[in-house]
Amino acid sequence: LTIVTNNLPLPRELPPECYRYVYVLGGQYRPESLSTFGGLQLPGVHGISADRAIVGCGGLGPAGLSVAAPEDASIVFEMLRAARQRVLVVDSSKFNRDAFAHAAALTDIQFLVTDAEPDRPLREALEKAGVEVLVAP
């Protein structure tokens, strides 16, 4: 497993036997979220290819995914673009909510993992976009 993240606490939480490499995205440090933001650049790499991108967002509605800052939108978009399988993990409090910056369209994700069923309009938009909804108990 190779992991690419902008979440600074994540690497120390990972058991060493579960990964081969961990890449931490550079950029500007955001202390309130313990993350970095900025362009998706890894030293010596012009682009990456991922089997699976697992991303979060601040808002999810029929227009797509949104996040708190434009810099975060860029990271979410680039990771989704680089992956063959695209997964959004978000709790239901983010449903039908718009955060500041648009990150991706519903058609840019394949799976939504969440804690509750979306309401009918959002569910229909997800179905139309071909997104499979998985509700975790």
Side-chain angles (χ1 to χ4, degrees), residues 20-83:
R20 184 172 181 184
Y21 302 110
V22 175
Y23 293 96
V24 178
L25 299 174
Q28 188 172 345
Y29 171 63
R30 182 178 291 131
E32 64 273 11
S33 63
L34 297 174
S35 65
T36 59
F37 66 93
L40 178 59
Q41 298 294 322
L42 301 173
V45 178
H46 296 289
I48 62 172
S49 176
D51 290 326
R52 182 176 298 120
I54 302 172
V55 300
C57 68
L60 177 65
L65 295 64
S66 57
V67 293
E71 298 86 2
D72 293 334
S74 174
I75 290 173
V76 169
F77 179 78
E78 291 295 327
M79 286 307 302
L80 291 171
R81 188 174 76 165

Side-chain angles (χ1 to χ4, degrees), residues 2 8 19-20 23 26 46 54 56 58 76 85 88 100 103 131-132:
T2 298
L8 297 177
Y19 63 87
R20 184 172 181 184
Y23 293 96
H46 296 289
I54 302 172
V76 169
Q85 187 179 70
L88 174 65
F100 180 68
V131 177
E132 183 177 340

